[in-house]
Amino acid sequence: MTAIRPRSGGYVHVGHYPFGRGEVGAFDVYWSSTAKRNCLIVNRQNEAYGVPGDTYARIAPGGWDFPNCPDVGCDSGYFSYYAGPAYTPAGVDMTHRCVDVSGLVELNGQNNFRGYYGLNCG
């Protein structure tokens, strides 16, 4: 199983945070020093990998409200592998700022939801 990555913009992987019963989901957080933005992908993994279900990824600068889909900071749908990429807002320099993320991976009628606050503050 290969995690999906942002396709452009020089993003580097800065964090992997599994969540859900059986770790069926994972937040993968990326940073671009060129764009000065963070990116989030929620990967379906383990027994959820390849199984369609509701999946979403939301990212926001630390302390901000999470965006609604289909904003640039949110991606949601009935996916088999991942949701995202979702990005922090353009024009907001995320250098030395934390990000908040939330996501959902549904599997067999069970919603596996998680939020993390204050990630990648460097």
Side-chain angles (χ1 to χ4, degrees):
M1 158 176 33
T2 302
I4 301 302
R5 299 181 177 275
R7 296 182 213 272
S8 62
Y11 285 87
V12 295
H13 192 247
V14 294
H16 177 77
Y17 307 93
F19 69 92
R21 180 177 234 169
E23 297 187 348
V24 295
F27 295 107
D28 283 291
V29 180
Y30 298 85
W31 163 251
S32 170
S33 59
T34 303
K36 300 195 182 328
R37 294 172 82 181
N38 290 93
C39 173
L40 172 68
I41 295 173
V42 169
N43 284 292
R44 296 177 67 87
Q45 60 179 25
N46 297 325
E47 66 180 284
Y49 184 77
V51 178
D54 289 329
T55 311
Y56 76 72
R58 296 189 307 170
I59 188 170
W64 289 31
D65 290 335
F66 284 113
N68 294 316
C69 289
D71 192 313
V72 68
C74 183
D75 185 41
S76 69
Y78 196 74
F79 303 127
S80 299
Y81 299 100
Y82 66 94
Y87 296 90
T88 52
V92 177
D93 185 345
M94 292 300 297
T95 305
H96 305 297
R97 291 186 68 172
C98 302
V99 295
D100 298 339
V101 298
S102 71
L104 172 106
V105 169
E106 180 272 326
L107 179 65
N108 300 325
Q110 180 178 346
N111 288 331
N112 295 276
F113 168 81
R114 180 66 194 215
Y116 283 104
Y117 300 88
L119 297 179
N120 192 42
C121 299

